[in-house]
């Protein structure tokens, strides 16, 4: 038996030097390892050896650099707990900003909105929009990767959306019929360049899939596809909302302006350029 204070201190000492350590992570590690609530942990005084065993198995993975959300296969996004695994990018805080923008757009629309979320990964953008905008939006989600789509499908089931969203395997626009058109297309494509990829933290590089991060040599390949083909799949007054890298605004703007789109860019919570809206 070891006292709670001692265990918390030991864990913190070990993990605080990880490059992606976040304050009080040791509490989360214990709660999730033992499957107990914050309150239950608060009331606990000691841990018995079977509990210590469970904690130390997870701690070992954390010390190897694996992020908490990948160890426990869950990430909260916009208030919803998404199932995740090694086959999808863990949903990021800044992507919530995109969801917020799009939901305001949908709520303002007089009619129902047809929406396609491409490169959906865990499904966090498309499924969250369906959860918050309900019948006001008709959602289709797609991804190139079969394994990512299984995760998205699991999340659709988890949130009771299985029969209410359409899930499609497609490399960008490849499998769309030419008469399939949408009011809104959302996409958080892979946008990391080759040189930036090597500089990513280990938690991202080793535990988020490369296919979800790398956007070609300069990170911009997917914006070129979106600019070239996107407008063919937009209804009248249709618009695209896309996530971009914090340093990509002017390059992405040029790509879309070359195809005669109008362009607006919004900041994320950390004041970085992050979301663009493009339309014709
Ligand atoms: N924002 C992610 C990161 O920091 C990248 C996401 C993406 O490529 N779409 O690694």
């Amino acid at each position: 038996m070891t006292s709670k204070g001692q265990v918390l201190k030991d864990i913190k000492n070990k993990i605080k030097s990880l490059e992606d350590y976040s304050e009080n992570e040791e509490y989360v590690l214990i709660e999730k390892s033992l499957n107990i609530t914050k309150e239950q942990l608060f009331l606990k005084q000691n841990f018995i050896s079977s509990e210590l065993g469970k904690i130390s198995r997870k701690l070992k993975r954390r010390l190897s650099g694996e992020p908490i959300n990948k160890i426990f296969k869950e990430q909260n996004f916009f208030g919803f707990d998404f199932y995740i695994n090694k086959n999808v990018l863990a949903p990021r805080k800044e992507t919530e900003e995109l969801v917020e923008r799009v939901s305001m757009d949908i709520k303002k629309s007089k009619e129902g909105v047809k929406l396609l979320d491409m490169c959906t990964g865990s499904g966090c953008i498309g499924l969250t929009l369906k959860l918050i905008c309900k019948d006001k939006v008709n959602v289709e989600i797609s991804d190139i990767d079969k394994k990512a789509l299984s995760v998205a499908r699991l999340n659709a089931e988890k949130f009771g959306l299985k029969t209410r969203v359409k899930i499609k395997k497609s490399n960008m626009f490849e499998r769309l019929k030419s008469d399939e058109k949408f009011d809104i297309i959302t996409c958080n494509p892979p946008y990391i360049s080759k040189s930036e990829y090597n500089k990513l933290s280990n938690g991202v590089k080793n535990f988020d899939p490369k296919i979800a991060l790398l956007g070609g040599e300069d990170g911009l390949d997917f914006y070129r596809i979106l600019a070239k083909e996107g407008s063919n799949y937009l209804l009248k007054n249709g618009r695209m909302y896309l996530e971009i890298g914090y340093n990509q605004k002017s390059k992405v703007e040029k790509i879309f302006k070359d195809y005669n789109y109008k362009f607006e860019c919004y900041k994320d919570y950390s004041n970085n350029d992050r979301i663009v809206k493009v339309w014709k």
Side-chain angles (χ1 to χ4, degrees), residues 89-90 92 94-95 188-192 200 204 208 212-215 223 243-245 274:
L89 186 89
R92 307 286 207 262
E94 52 269 30
T95 307
N188 173 15
Y191 56 64
I192 305 293
L200 290 173
V204 175
D208 275 333
L213 291 161
L214 253 189
Y223 304 107
E243 183 170 321
I244 62 166
R274 186 66 67 189

Side-chain angles (χ1 to χ4, degrees), residues 9 33-34 47 49 64 71-72 84 123 189 196 200 203 225 240:
K9 208 166 92 189
S33 300
L34 303 181
F47 296 109
S49 73
S64 81
I71 298 175
F72 297 103
I84 60 168
E196 280 171 327
L200 290 173
I225 299 171
M240 293 194 275

